[in-house]
Amino acid sequence: MSTSEIILHPEISQKVASLYAAMEEAYNRTAKAIHLTCIDCPDNCCDSYFLHHTYTEWAYLWEGLNQLGGDRLKTILAKAGEYVLQSETILARGERPMLMCPLNEAGRCTVYAHRMMICRLHGVASTLTRPDGHSMQFPGCFRCQEITRGKPVAAPMDRTDFFRQLVELELELLGKNRGTGSKVKLTLAQMIVKGPPRLPW
Ligand code: SF4
Ligand code: SF4
């Protein structure tokens, strides 16, 4: 079976960038309202274990990776390979991995402008209304919970529209091919090791 690499059309790429910018803006608004800052935080959220679910974010991540020099990319690929091996071992023990993201370099994100949605939403208290109408609340990171303990957050960030827009972008990207490829359920490290996303067209 022949496969072809998913390259984001510049228009879709621009839409992803705008969506990510909107997430950042909403995050900053809530963070400011509750006085949450990552400065001097003893934790580093880049060791959190997350799975990602869209070809859109996978392809956009690779747009960022392809802008790095060959040597840097080689180092990242090696770190991502190590991450995948270690996480598999930890998962096999029935535990949740807590490993530093292969894109974190001395506390900084190597592909900051292309980092994933969850990297942009994690931290502040937030809400999500699922398509079935069920409402979910997220208390935010440990620091957010410390700050807001006993004081309900007046305006938690609403994730609903961001998720909906990402799904719409995914449908636009896949077009008539939606449903033909396998479902995405990968860590960021797996997305790096596998290379840019491919689908049988
Ligand atoms: S999101 Fe929260 S836990 Fe993570 S670095 Fe920022 S303040 Fe610390
Ligand atoms: S992609 Fe960047 S922000 Fe997200 S976990 Fe990795 S290093 Fe952290």
Side-chain angles (χ1 to χ4, degrees), residues 33-92:
I34 59 179
H35 306 291
L36 175 71
T37 164
C38 296
I39 294 170
D40 294 333
C41 179
D43 198 1
N44 187 325
C45 297
C46 297
D47 64 6
S48 306
Y49 182 79
F50 289 119
L51 293 168
H52 309 278
H53 299 277
T54 62
Y55 287 98
T56 308
E57 285 208 282
W58 186 356
Y60 195 72
L61 170 72
W62 265 95
E63 265 193 16
L65 289 169
N66 282 329
Q67 289 166 17
L68 302 173
D71 283 351
R72 264 178 112 191
L73 191 51
K74 227 160 110 184
T75 307
I76 287 167
L77 278 166
K79 282 163 80 176
E82 190 53 36
Y83 182 109
V84 171
L85 285 178
Q86 284 189 34
S87 59
E88 281 171 359
T89 307
I90 296 168
L91 286 168

Side-chain angles (χ1 to χ4, degrees), residues 27 46 50 52 109 115-123 188:
Y27 181 97
C46 297
F50 289 119
H52 309 278
C109 180
R115 72 197 191 283
M116 315 300 274
M117 171 174 71
I118 198 65
C119 307
R120 295 159 196 269
L121 301 184
H122 178 75
L188 181 137

Side-chain angles (χ1 to χ4, degrees), residues 1-190:
M1 183 186 294
S2 72
T3 61
S4 62
E5 184 180 328
I6 298 177
I7 311 262
L8 293 183
H9 186 281
E11 200 183 307
I12 294 192
S13 187
Q14 186 48 52
K15 285 183 186 174
V16 177
S18 302
L19 176 58
Y20 278 171
M23 289 175 189
E24 239 170 87
E25 213 180 297
Y27 181 97
N28 289 340
R29 235 185 350 259
T30 303
K32 195 172 169 199
I34 59 179
H35 306 291
L36 175 71
T37 164
C38 296
I39 294 170
D40 294 333
C41 179
D43 198 1
N44 187 325
C45 297
C46 297
D47 64 6
S48 306
Y49 182 79
F50 289 119
L51 293 168
H52 309 278
H53 299 277
T54 62
Y55 287 98
T56 308
E57 285 208 282
W58 186 356
Y60 195 72
L61 170 72
W62 265 95
E63 265 193 16
L65 289 169
N66 282 329
Q67 289 166 17
L68 302 173
D71 283 351
R72 264 178 112 191
L73 191 51
K74 227 160 110 184
T75 307
I76 287 167
L77 278 166
K79 282 163 80 176
E82 190 53 36
Y83 182 109
V84 171
L85 285 178
Q86 284 189 34
S87 59
E88 281 171 359
T89 307
I90 296 168
L91 286 168
R93 289 201 303 260
E95 295 166 19
R96 189 178 176 88
M98 198 189 266
L99 300 165
M100 187 49 70
C101 173
L103 292 177
N104 187 297
E105 247 178 39
R108 290 182 166 269
C109 180
T110 320
V111 292
Y112 192 74
H114 291 257
R115 72 197 191 283
M116 315 300 274
M117 171 174 71
I118 198 65
C119 307
R120 295 159 196 269
L121 301 184
H122 178 75
V124 295
S126 59
T127 58
L128 172 73
T129 306
R130 292 193 326 211
D132 63 5
H134 181 78
S135 176
M136 299 168 80
Q137 269 89 37
F138 303 94
C141 67
F142 88 96
R143 207 177 210 190
C144 176
Q145 291 179 49
E146 273 178 12
I147 296 171
T148 59
R149 190 160 295 135
K151 309 175 260 184
V153 178
M157 178 181 60
D158 188 355
R159 298 179 172 195
T160 312
D161 209 39
F162 301 138
F163 277 63
R164 183 190 56 75
Q165 287 186 57
L166 184 59
V167 169
E168 278 175 9
L169 279 176
E170 182 78 346
L171 295 177
E172 187 179 344
L173 173 72
L174 300 181
K176 61 181 170 48
N177 300 294
R178 62 184 70 158
T180 56
S182 51
K183 281 213 158 55
V184 177
K185 193 179 175 189
L186 298 169
T187 61
L188 181 137
Q190 288 171 317

